[in-house]
Amino acid sequence: MMHGSRLSPLSRRSLLISTAALLVAGTAARARTITQGMPWEPGTASPPLQVRAGPWMFFTPDEAATVEAAVDRLIPPDESGPGGKDAGCAVYIDRQLAGPYGVGAGLYLHPPFMPGAASQGYQSPDMPAVRYRAGLAAIADYVKSSFAGKSFHDLAAADQDKVLSGLETGAIKPKGINGAGFFALLLQNTQEGFFADPVYGGNRDMAGWKMVGFPGARYDYRDWVERHNEKYPLPPVSIMGRSDWTVKE
Amino acid sequence: MARKLPRKDVVIVGLGWTGSILAYELAKQGLDVVAIERGPWRDTATDFPPGYAQDELRYGVRLDLFLRPQQETLTVRNNMTQTALPIRRFSGFLPGNGVGGAGVHWNGQTWRFLPSDFNLRSHLEERYGADKIPADMTIQDWPVTYDELEPYYDRFEKLAGISGKAGNLNGVKQAGGNPFEGWRSSEYPTPPLKQNYGSALFAEAATKLGYKPFPRPSGNISEAYTNPLGVTMGQCTYCGFCERFGCGNYAKASPQVCVLPALMRLPNFSVQTESEVTRVNLDSTGKRATGVTYVDTSGEEWEQPADIVLVCAFSLFNVRLMLLSGIGKPYDPVTGKGVVGRNYAYQTTSGVSMILKDKALNSFIATGSGGMMIDEFNGDNFDHKDLGFFGGGYMGSGQTGARPITTMPVPKGTPKWGAQWKKAAAETYNSGYGISTHGSSYSYRDCYLDLDPTYKDHLGRPLMRMTFDFKDNEIKMSQFLTDRLAEIAKALDPVEMTASPRKGPWNSTIYQTTHNTGGTVMGADPETSVVNRYCQSWDVSNVFVPGGASVFPQNHGYNPTGTVGALAYWTADAIKNRYLKNPGPLV
Ligand SMILES: Cc1cc2nc3c(=O)[nH]c(=O)nc-3n(C[C@H](O)[C@H](O)[C@H](O)COP(=O)(O)OP(=O)(O)OC[C@H]3O[C@@H](n4cnc5c(N)ncnc54)[C@H](O)[C@@H]3O)c2cc1C
Ligand code: SF4
C-alpha cells in the first residue's frame, strides 16, 4: 500500500474532479481582458494532484496483474532497490491512462488518418487507453495459446522475458495490434513511472532517483555548481517532500 | 457576424517576446494598444512557482506549457512528392502558447549573428565566387547591417539582463570572451554564470587543442539585476529544469519577468487572452489593414479595428496568418515566384555523447543556457575554400540538465530494459556526458511553407504545410563540425563515445530546436521578400512583422532570439520615429 495521508477518503473524489478539469482545460478557461496591472488572484495556482492508493482506475484486475508482472521484468528488483512493481509503475500507468493522457487530450485528431514516413510521426487515431486495452488483450490471447492456457503473470520470469523481447523485436506478432509499437509504449510509460516525481504514483519513495543519484526537486545548487567532481551529497526530495515527513496511518 | 469593438491605435497579434516589447514601446509612447493572445494568461506565481515548477513529467514530457496541436498544428513532409501529414503531437519543435509565448519556456541562449551573416550572399560571392553557391540555395543578404542593429542588440540584452563576457568591446578584443563576435558597444549586463563540471572539462580540453572557449551568453542570469524598465530579476540557482519549464526564481529572461510587470501598469494597454486572431482584415483596396478578427473560447467572433497591425505570433504562425489574410503573394516553388512562405529554414544540430572515466559530473546541476562554447567553426570564421559546403556553427558543452525520464545514458550495446539495463543506468547516470554543435541552415528553393490542401484546424481553416529537408550542404557541414567536436571529445579520454552528425531526412519527431525561420523574409527587393528593412509589409504598409524569426532570409549558426529581440526594438523605433510622423511605406 502507498502511504495515505489523513485526507485520503477525499482523495479519489478530488482526483476525479481534477481529471475532469484537466480534460476540459482550454475550453474551461475563458477569454478575458486584462489591464491595469498583473491579475494575480489567490487560489488560482495549479499544483499537481497527488495520486493515492486505492482501486485500479483504468485496468481490470487481469490487466493490472499483467502490467505489474511486466513492469517488474522491464525494471526488475535487485540489490540496488525495488523493481517496477514495488516502485508503483503500474499504479502510475493506471492513473495516467484514466486521465487526459489516456485519451490523447490536446492532440490533433482530425481525419484522414494515413500511414506516412517515420519522419512524419504517429498517425493512428488510437490513443494510449485504447492501445493498452487492445494490446493487453492481444498479449493475453497470445500467451494463452502459446503457454497452455496460462496468463502472462503466471509465467516464469524467463518466459515473461521471452514474450516481452519477442514483442520488442517483432518476432511475436499478437493478432490485431502492432506488438513492437505497444512494447515501446509500455517501456516508455514504465520508465516514466520509475523516474517521474512520486506525486504521480510511481517512483515510490523516490526509488528511481535514489538508484541513479538524482536529487529530485531540490531546485537550488548554487553551493555545489563549482564543487567539481564531488558527488552531490544530499538525498532526493520530491514535490511532496519526503515520505518520512508525511503522516502515516 | 463579428461584433465590432472600439478602434485602437495598435493591435498586436500574440503577446510573446516580440509582442510584449512592441506593446511596451508603443504604449509608453502614448498609443492605445491592445494585444490579442491565443493562449491563457501565465505568471510565475500561478503557473510555475518553485514548489512544483521542477516537474519533469508535467512540463518536460507532457508539455504542459506548450501549444496543443488540437488548437493549431502543421502538416509536414520532406519533399514535394510526399503527402504532408499533420503533426498530431508536437515533439520535433515546440511552439509556445499563452502570454509570454515561447519566451516562458525557452533556454535563454542569447546570441548576436556575425557581421558577415548579414551580407551572407555578397560575402560568399566575393570570397569564394558566385559559381560556388549551389543553384538551388536561395540565401540572400539582409536589408540591415550588423552595425545598424548593434544598438538594438544592446537594448535587448539589457532588457533581458543577459549574463556573459564580451569578446570585442568597440573593436578591442577582450580576453575570456568570444574573439569572433561582432563589436559590442558595452559589456554584458551581468557577469557569466558559473560553470558546472562538464562545462569546465570541455573548456579545458578545447583550450588544450588551441581553441578559445568562452561562456555562452545566457538569459539565465548570474546575479540579481534591475533592467531599464525597472523590473528586478533574481539569480539563477542552476536548478536543471529550464528549457520546457518556466523559471520559479524569476531568473530566466522572459516577457513575464522582464516586461509584463512594467507593461501591465500602463493604462493604455490591455491584453485579450484565450482569443485567436483568425485574420488581418483589409479594406477594399487590399492595401490597408483595418484591424483583425478574432475568436474567443466561447466561439464568439470579434472585430478589433486598429490603425496599425503588428504580427507577433511566432515565426511559423506569422507566416500562416499572412497566408490566411492574403497579405503578400504566396510562394510557388515551381515557378520560384511569390514570397510568403519562401525561404523556410531551421537549424542543423548534432552531438557527441560519452561516458567519462571516474567522474562525478552532477549534470543535473545545470542551466538552460550556460556552458562553455567555441566559435572557431561558425559562419565564415574558417576558410571554406576546399570544404564543399558553406555555413557553420558554435559547439560546446551545453548539457542543460540530467532529468531522468529523458536523460538516462547507458553504455553502447546495453539492452533497453531488464536487469542489465537497470544496473547500467545506475552506474552510468553520473558519468554520462554530452556536447553538441549548433549550426546554420541555409534556405533552398524547395524548402517552404504553404497552406495544406487537406487538413484543417478546429475553426475549419487550412493548416500550414511545411516542406523541409536537410540538404547536402548542411549534411557536410554537420559532418565537419561533428568531426571537430569529436576531436575535443577524444581529448577527454572517454570510456566510450558516439558521434552523431546530423543526417537526413529531417525527422519531425526528434527534438532539435524551435528555431523555425523564414517565410516572411525581410529584404531590399519586394520580389524576394515579404517585408522591407523596417519589417513592414511591402503590400500593406500598416502591417508589420516586427522581428519574429520568420523575417530571417536564412538561418545562421546561432539561436535566433537575440536577433529577434534586436529586430523588435529596431521596428519599434522605425514605427515611433518614422511611421507615426508619416504613415505609409517607409521604403
Ligand atoms: C523549448 C524551447 C527552447 C528555446 N530556446 C531558445 C534559446 O535558447 N535561444 C533562442 O534564441 N531561442 C530559443 N527558443 C526560441 C524562442 O523562444 C523564440 O525565438 C521566441 O520566443 C520568439 O518570439 P516571438 O515573439 O516571435 O514568439 P513567441 O514568444 O512564441 O510569442 C508568440 C505568441 O503569439 C501567440 N499567437 C500565435 N498565434 C496567434 C494567433 N493567431 N492569435 C493570437 N495569438 C497568437 C502565441 O500564443 C504566443 O504567445 C526556444 C524555444 C523553445 C520552444
Ligand atoms: S536554470 Fe536558472 S534560469 Fe533556468 S529555470 Fe533554473 S533557476 Fe531559472
Side-chain angles (χ1 to χ4, degrees):
Chain A
M1 279 300 282
M2 292 181 63
H3 309 295
S5 81
R6 288 177 199 285
L7 293 173
S8 53
L10 281 176
S11 64
R12 171 125 187 203
R13 196 177 133 256
S14 53
L15 181 68
L16 285 173
I17 290 168
S18 80
T19 307
L22 276 171
L23 280 173
V24 293
T27 47
R30 279 279 160 258
R32 54 183 179 147
T33 309
I34 303 169
T35 188
Q36 316 270 338
M38 305 283 272
W40 185 83
E41 284 166 50
T44 51
S46 57
L49 268 122
Q50 185 184 357
V51 162
R52 302 202 191 251
W56 299 104
M57 294 177 68
F58 175 80
F59 293 134
T60 64
D62 273 352
E63 288 172 338
T66 298
V67 173
E68 289 206 301
V71 299
D72 230 28
R73 294 315 303 156
L74 297 175
I75 307 179
D78 63 10
E79 65 289 355
S80 82
K85 180 179 176 196
D86 285 342
C89 292
V91 175
Y92 162 84
I93 296 173
D94 178 73
R95 302 307 197 265
Q96 288 289 309
L97 293 176
Y101 171 75
V103 295
L107 304 192
Y108 182 81
L109 297 176
H110 291 244
F113 289 91
M114 296 187 270
S119 61
Q120 292 174 302
Y122 186 74
Q123 292 293 340
S124 154
D126 294 343
M127 292 298 113
V130 170
R131 294 175 69 192
Y132 268 87
R133 194 116 287 155
L136 292 171
I139 291 170
D141 286 348
Y142 169 82
V143 172
K144 202 163 277 165
S145 61
S146 310
F147 294 90
K150 284 195 181 156
S151 298
F152 181 84
H153 56 268
D154 296 328
L155 301 182
D159 284 335
Q160 291 177 339
D161 284 358
K162 248 183 238 157
V163 174
L164 291 170
S165 53
L167 290 169
E168 182 184 27
T169 59
I172 296 176
K173 292 189 174 40
K175 251 185 245 116
I177 65 155
N178 171 348
F182 179 67
F183 177 86
L185 180 69
L186 177 65
L187 179 61
Q188 162 70 22
N189 293 151
T190 303
Q191 293 183 350
E192 282 168 13
F194 200 63
F195 292 121
D197 195 283
V199 74
Y200 296 106
N203 191 10
R204 203 173 284 165
D205 276 335
M206 299 177 280
W209 293 351
K210 285 177 187 160
M211 175 184 109
V212 297
F214 176 65
R218 289 199 172 270
Y219 215 55
D220 187 353
Y221 299 110
R222 281 173 292 187
D223 58 346
W224 212 266
V225 58
E226 290 187 315
R227 299 194 56 166
H228 292 167
N229 214 10
E230 284 182 66
K231 195 172 160 19
Y232 185 75
L234 299 181
V237 282
S238 102
I239 287 172
M240 307 175 291
R242 297 223 315 251
S243 56
D244 48 340
W245 298 347
T246 48
V247 183
K248 302 216 170 54
E249 271 154 66
Chain B
M1 261 305 277
R3 280 160 60 180
K4 200 159 175 166
L5 293 157
R7 195 199 65 83
K8 296 275 182 179
D9 296 326
V10 181
V11 62
I12 298 182
V13 184
L15 194 60
W17 260 133
T18 54
S20 62
I21 289 172
L22 269 292
Y24 182 80
E25 289 296 308
L26 298 182
K28 196 76 185 159
Q29 190 79 1
L31 299 180
D32 247 330
V33 181
V34 61
I36 318 287
E37 167 53 51
R38 178 178 58 194
W41 174 262
R42 289 195 200 286
D43 62 35
T44 312
T46 312
D47 295 284
F48 35 86
Y52 58 82
Q54 61 283 52
D55 183 337
E56 182 183 15
L57 181 72
R58 174 178 184 176
Y59 298 105
V61 178
R62 299 280 182 260
L63 308 174
D64 197 58
L65 293 171
F66 293 92
L67 175 64
R68 306 279 195 274
Q70 162 189 286
Q71 184 156 16
E72 178 160 11
T73 186
L74 296 90
T75 64
V76 290
R77 59 179 182 174
N78 288 121
N79 60 62
M80 290 168 64
T81 66
Q82 275 180 342
T83 302
L85 296 178
I87 296 177
R88 296 190 179 276
R89 173 187 189 275
F90 282 116
S91 44
F93 54 86
L94 301 170
N97 189 45
V99 170
V104 170
H105 45 60
W106 71 320
N107 292 64
Q109 304 163 9
T110 310
W111 297 85
R112 300 174 172 203
F113 288 165
L114 294 168
S116 61
D117 287 337
F118 287 94
N119 60 342
L120 181 67
R121 180 171 278 274
S122 37
H123 172 88
L124 293 180
E125 286 183 359
E126 197 182 305
R127 187 165 175 192
Y128 303 103
D131 58 322
K132 293 290 185 310
I133 299 177
D136 65 337
M137 192 191 268
T138 49
I139 52 173
Q140 60 197 48
D141 289 359
W142 290 66
V144 287
T145 63
Y146 178 84
D147 289 357
E148 284 176 308
L149 272 193
E150 199 289 332
Y152 299 95
Y153 273 125
D154 192 61
R155 273 172 78 181
F156 181 66
E157 288 163 3
K158 289 191 166 126
L159 177 82
I162 304 303
S163 296
K165 175 79 195 86
N168 177 344
L169 275 180
N170 296 301
V172 183
K173 293 267 155 83
Q174 308 289 314
N178 178 2
F180 295 94
E181 71 178 350
W183 66 277
R184 307 172 49 86
S185 52
S186 56
E187 189 39 282
Y188 282 96
T190 53
L193 288 165
K194 292 176 179 161
Q195 300 303 336
N196 66 10
Y197 190 33
S199 297
L201 285 171
F202 175 83
E204 215 180 283
T207 307
K208 235 189 266 164
L209 293 184
Y211 299 121
K212 296 212 156 48
F214 58 91
R216 175 160 51 192
S218 167
N220 319 133
I221 70 163
S222 59
E223 61 184 33
Y225 168 77
T226 303
N227 78 9
L229 274 53
V231 192
T232 299
M233 300 172 69
Q235 181 178 45
C236 172
T237 63
Y238 307 84
C239 79
F241 290 89
C242 202
E243 76 284 0
R244 303 189 175 200
F245 302 79
C247 176
N249 292 320
Y250 300 84
K252 173 158 69 176
S254 67
Q256 272 66 15
V257 173
C258 303
V259 188
L260 296 180
L263 173 64
M264 294 308 295
R265 273 205 295 260
L266 302 179
N268 47 336
F269 172 76
S270 63
V271 50
Q272 176 69 30
T273 61
E274 307 267 2
S275 297
E276 182 170 345
V277 173
T278 51
R279 65 176 175 273
V280 179
N281 301 315
L282 303 180
D283 71 5
S284 57
T285 69
K287 297 216 169 305
R288 223 191 127 64
T290 56
V292 303
T293 296
Y294 69 86
V295 177
D296 69 18
T297 37
S298 62
E300 180 124 31
E301 213 179 37
W302 302 84
E303 187 187 333
Q304 176 62 67
D307 290 349
I308 301 177
V309 176
L310 304 179
V311 179
C312 298
F314 179 69
S315 193
L316 295 168
F317 308 120
N318 293 343
V319 183
R320 182 166 182 242
L321 194 59
M322 297 293 267
L323 287 169
L324 290 173
S325 307
I327 303 177
K329 192 168 174 227
Y331 174 65
D332 177 349
V334 176
T335 62
K337 300 259 183 287
V339 284
V340 186
R342 180 174 168 273
N343 278 17
Y344 171 73
Y346 191 42
Q347 201 89 68
T348 316
T349 58
S350 73
V352 176
S353 59
M354 284 161 269
I355 296 171
L356 297 184
K357 246 178 241 153
D358 309 322
K359 297 273 188 291
L361 287 168
N362 301 330
S363 295
F364 45 81
I365 303 182
T367 65
S369 50
M372 294 296 285
M373 304 295 143
I374 64 166
D375 222 9
E376 273 79 358
F377 301 107
N378 211 332
D380 203 32
N381 293 345
F382 56 115
D383 189 357
H384 288 76
K385 194 155 114 317
D386 298 316
L387 294 178
F389 68 85
F390 291 121
Y394 70 85
M395 57 181 78
S397 161
Q399 193 166 332
T400 56
R403 303 183 293 269
I405 298 174
T406 44
T407 308
M408 195 49 62
V410 288
K412 283 183 221 176
T414 306
K416 288 203 167 84
W417 53 277
Q420 280 183 57
W421 170 81
K422 191 182 182 203
K423 196 160 173 291
E427 283 169 7
T428 315
Y429 177 74
N430 212 19
S431 52
Y433 179 62
I435 54 183
S436 54
T437 79
H438 184 280
S440 52
S441 168
Y442 288 165
S443 33
Y444 293 90
R445 180 163 173 153
D446 61 354
C447 293
Y448 68 104
L449 304 166
D450 66 351
L451 293 176
D452 190 89
T454 308
Y455 290 96
K456 308 267 188 283
D457 70 9
H458 67 120
L459 298 170
R461 304 169 316 149
L463 296 182
M464 194 159 67
R465 173 169 70 177
M466 176 185 287
T467 306
F468 178 77
D469 207 349
F470 296 113
K471 300 285 178 164
D472 198 40
N473 181 77
E474 276 56 38
I475 294 196
K476 281 190 187 146
M477 188 269 304
S478 184
Q479 183 69 53
F480 178 85
L481 259 60
T482 312
D483 288 347
R484 301 291 81 73
L485 187 68
E487 290 163 3
I488 303 175
K490 275 208 193 90
L492 289 166
D493 191 23
V495 181
E496 63 165 67
M497 64 181 254
T498 308
S500 312
R502 183 61 60 196
K503 295 268 192 297
W506 168 64
N507 187 326
S508 75
T509 68
I510 298 172
Y511 189 80
Q512 292 158 57
T513 68
T514 309
H515 306 164
N516 316 85
T517 67
T520 69
V521 161
M522 72 192 294
D525 178 355
E527 295 295 311
T528 53
S529 58
V530 173
V531 295
N532 64 25
R533 73 191 303 261
Y534 299 110
C535 297
Q536 179 185 38
S537 160
W538 288 110
D539 301 85
V540 183
S541 64
N542 62 337
V543 171
F544 292 78
V545 185
S550 54
V551 306
F552 293 10
Q554 56 274 329
N555 202 8
H556 302 281
Y558 301 101
N559 312 57
T561 310
T563 305
V564 165
L567 287 169
Y569 274 115
W570 161 263
T571 311
D573 266 15
I575 294 173
K576 287 195 297 194
N577 303 335
R578 293 165 191 264
Y579 182 85
L580 291 179
K581 288 186 185 131
N582 190 9
L586 295 175
V587 176

